[in-house]
Amino acid sequence: MFKRVKGTQDILDLSLFNFVIEQFKKQMALYHFNEISTPIIEPTELFKRSLGLQTDVVTKEMFVICPRDEKENETICLRPEATASFVRAFVENGIQTKPWKVFSYGPMFRYERPQKGRYRQFHQINMEIIGAQSIDYDAQLIKMLDRYFSEILTLNNYALLINFLGCSKDREKYRPVLYSYLEKHSDKLCKTCIDRKEKNIMRVFDCKNETCKELYKKAPKLIDHLCTTCSEEWQQLKSDLELLSVSYSVDSTLVRGLDYYNKTVFVFSSESLGAQKEFCGGGRYDQLVKEVGAKEDQPSVGAAIGMERLILLLKPIRNNLPLKQLPALHVILPMSKKQQLLALIIANELHVHNLCTDVFLDGDSMKSMMRKANKMGASYCLILGDDEQKEHTVTIKNMLNGDEKKIAQSEIVNYLNK
Ligand code: HAM
């Protein structure tokens, strides 16, 4: 027996998944975003360049595909995220519309250790505003997400954490300050943090080790080392969120795992999810467009929702959500092989009239077909035996109250539509 690949899943009931997507599409239309689609495979170099060579995603988690043809010297990979692809698409297609407000959803791939809420193939809804200078865009995006989670999906068990990473000059000035703090406490740091201190110092804040986390609570904060412009933007972001009635907490250790961010970063997280508690994350990336090949920078901001984690949050309240109602199901039961062709013809007629219809074609006993129809939640069973065939009629059984009635075959559509 074959088993699915580690860290992947078979989703056998997509109703909640589709509900989340449909509601999000409505929300995106309301905020004037367009849906786009980019490939699942991309040049590996795109992510190396954009996410950063020292990030976990690039160093450990990429699904790289070896080229089949030696002449193709470019390696490709399964996308680990979508922001870099959106930016590549913006540059490659010479998009002139600014801001370019776009979204998409689909599978992403990261070679991570699988656990609850963490997969190697998972799904994201990704949204970006490329060419968005004002920090007010960040506030509007956060408000839109907060409305989606709280009003549309009726979630209340989550928190919004925000931080401000300043501009590259701010971080340049801040790094030595943090470095000397870490040097002072290097005897308490874990091995990974000692390594990160040298290679990618801000990443120490991602450490899960309790002693390190305790130490970082008292570490100098980047938000206290912002230049005047960034400081004003940080104040503006906070006051925008307050004016828009978005509850948030400032987490000065929030740096996010991807190197392209500057200024605003945020995550929506829920303790109900356990260890993998972040179900949405995003932020501003003002240098990425140039990094990916454009002549000029385009200040931009975006976010991605982790579908699997969002679904985990929604499962307990599933029954309160207005999920799509399935149409009434009608099942045709031919009593013997002789009635099967007629059953097919009638089924076709019902399908033409948009009536959801199934038909049993394996010659099971009446009792077994009735049991199956009941299990499938059929509203009406249409029974076809020798008599019905001769008389051009059908016996219709109402599966809710058990009433049976014989009607002309030409009347079926009218009857079921009523
Ligand atoms: P990210 O934080 O790496 O950001 O991923 C966004 C969300 O995807 C996470 O909050 C989480 O819910 C979900 N996620 C990530 N990895 C996994 C996994 N292995 N299994 C299940 N869910 C996962 C980004 O990807 C950025 N591109 C977001 C962004 C868009 N920033 C600006 N624009």
Side-chain angles (χ1 to χ4, degrees):
M1 188 179 67
F2 289 108
K3 294 209 161 166
R4 59 179 181 268
V5 171
K6 196 173 168 187
T8 64
Q9 356 158 45
D10 300 316
I11 311 173
L12 302 180
D13 176 359
L14 277 167
S15 43
L16 207 46
F17 195 100
N18 287 340
F19 172 75
V20 165
I21 300 286
E22 270 163 36
Q23 296 302 317
F24 196 77
K25 282 187 178 181
K26 277 192 201 159
Q27 181 90 336
M28 286 280 87
L30 210 57
Y31 284 79
H32 195 223
F33 280 66
N34 277 329
E35 186 172 0
I36 63 162
S37 170
T38 57
I40 286 175
I41 47 177
E42 290 278 8
T44 313
E45 199 53 37
L46 171 67
F47 298 105
K48 285 190 179 167
R49 181 81 67 84
S50 50
L51 311 190
L53 289 175
Q54 298 301 330
T55 54
D56 283 355
V57 179
V58 168
T59 53
K60 306 190 266 196
E61 297 169 3
M62 298 283 275
F63 277 94
V64 176
I65 303 168
C66 294
R68 240 168 226 277
D69 186 340
E70 280 165 19
K71 280 179 233 142
E72 283 178 22
N73 44 23
E74 173 183 78
T75 74
I76 58 173
C77 67
L78 303 180
R79 62 181 181 195
E81 60 107 58
T83 308
S85 303
F86 276 39
V87 170
R88 183 211 32 79
F90 175 83
V91 177
E92 188 172 351
N93 293 289
I95 304 292
Q96 297 300 320
T97 317
K98 276 178 271 174
W100 195 46
K101 294 167 74 176
V102 281
F103 78 101
S104 185
Y105 70 92
M108 308 291 151
F109 305 83
R110 295 184 193 177
Y111 191 81
E112 294 199 78
R113 198 167 38 79
Q115 64 175 105
K116 185 183 165 205
R118 187 164 69 191
Y119 302 94
R120 289 185 176 173
Q121 177 176 336
F122 58 98
H123 299 79
Q124 281 184 348
I125 302 179
N126 192 72
M127 67 225 75
E128 309 294 347
I129 313 177
I130 299 179
Q133 175 77 56
S134 167
I135 228 69
D136 296 338
Y137 281 108
D138 309 26
Q140 196 191 28
L141 181 73
I142 294 173
K143 174 69 187 177
M144 184 275 292
L145 286 163
D146 190 47
R147 272 197 60 215
Y148 175 64
F149 298 135
S150 66
E151 290 173 27
I152 315 282
L153 302 182
T154 65
L155 288 171
N156 53 19
N157 51 344
Y158 68 86
L160 164 65
L161 307 177
I162 62 168
N163 193 19
F164 209 74
L165 303 179
C167 57
S168 50
K169 281 190 186 144
D170 294 343
R171 290 194 298 281
E172 234 168 73
K173 274 200 233 145
Y174 169 71
R175 277 191 203 101
V177 180
L178 178 62
Y179 191 89
S180 65
Y181 176 81
L182 296 180
E183 277 284 279
K184 259 191 242 155
H185 298 91
S186 58
D187 53 325
K188 296 187 201 103
L189 295 181
C190 74
K191 258 184 162 182
T192 319
C193 283
I194 289 179
D195 192 43
R196 284 177 173 167
K197 176 167 72 88
E198 302 303 328
K199 291 186 178 153
N200 196 356
I201 191 160
M202 304 274 287
R203 192 90 320 112
V204 294
F205 292 125
D206 285 338
C207 186
K208 299 280 180 284
N209 180 305
E210 285 307 323
T211 321
C212 296
K213 271 169 56 179
E214 226 18 68
L215 204 66
Y216 300 148
K217 278 186 192 158
K218 293 187 200 120
K221 294 176 180 153
L222 179 49
I223 40 176
D224 296 333
H225 291 78
L226 300 175
C227 63
T228 317
T229 316
C230 285
S231 187
E232 279 168 14
E233 286 181 323
W234 174 222
Q235 298 311 323
Q236 190 185 334
L237 175 69
K238 289 189 291 180
S239 75
D240 279 1
L241 292 177
E242 274 145 38
L243 282 171
L244 291 167
S245 310
V246 179
S247 315
Y248 66 86
S249 306
V250 175
D251 178 354
S252 60
T253 64
L254 178 69
V255 286
R256 314 258 304 118
L258 310 165
D259 279 356
Y260 50 63
Y261 291 115
N262 66 343
K263 299 185 180 175
T264 312
V265 281
F266 60 89
V267 293
F268 287 86
S269 82
S270 174
E271 293 301 327
S272 329
L273 289 172
Q276 301 304 315
K277 55 184 183 220
E278 290 169 9
F279 61 95
C280 174
R284 181 161 274 278
Y285 50 95
D286 290 345
Q287 272 84 50
L288 187 57
V289 174
K290 196 166 176 191
E291 197 63 48
V292 167
K295 286 200 186 92
E296 294 170 18
D297 276 337
Q298 290 297 338
S300 308
V301 61
I305 300 172
M307 286 290 288
E308 282 72 10
R309 295 184 195 172
L310 184 58
I311 300 276
L312 278 175
L313 273 183
L314 291 173
K315 268 191 180 151
I317 56 162
R318 183 193 163 108
N319 290 342
N320 305 337
L321 296 170
L323 297 193
K324 205 173 179 178
Q325 292 291 314
L326 292 175
L329 168 69
H330 313 301
V331 184
I332 307 181
L333 286 60
M335 284 173 76
S336 77
K337 273 209 155 28
K338 279 185 282 172
Q339 282 87 42
Q340 285 191 1
L341 182 59
L342 177 61
L344 275 185
I345 293 169
I346 294 178
N348 181 56
E349 184 67 8
L350 300 195
H351 291 146
V352 166
H353 286 88
N354 284 326
L355 290 160
C356 172
T357 309
D358 208 339
V359 47
F360 293 138
L361 295 168
D362 268 342
D364 289 341
S365 72
M366 193 61 187
K367 200 171 156 194
S368 143
M369 285 194 288
M370 269 298 177
R371 205 180 307 125
K372 270 197 213 168
N374 214 0
K375 225 173 145 189
M376 286 155 66
S379 303
Y380 285 95
C381 276
L382 281 65
I383 302 157
L384 291 170
D386 285 336
D387 289 351
E388 284 87 353
Q389 192 167 20
K390 256 186 256 148
E391 299 161 357
H392 302 287
T393 59
V394 62
T395 301
I396 294 201
K397 178 169 177 161
N398 179 326
M399 297 298 278
L400 272 185
N401 59 19
D403 284 355
E404 278 190 21
K405 197 174 179 188
K406 227 181 217 182
I407 62 165
Q409 285 165 16
S410 55
E411 276 306 304
I412 300 175
V413 171
N414 269 346
Y415 185 87
L416 294 178
N417 269 333
K418 264 185 221 153

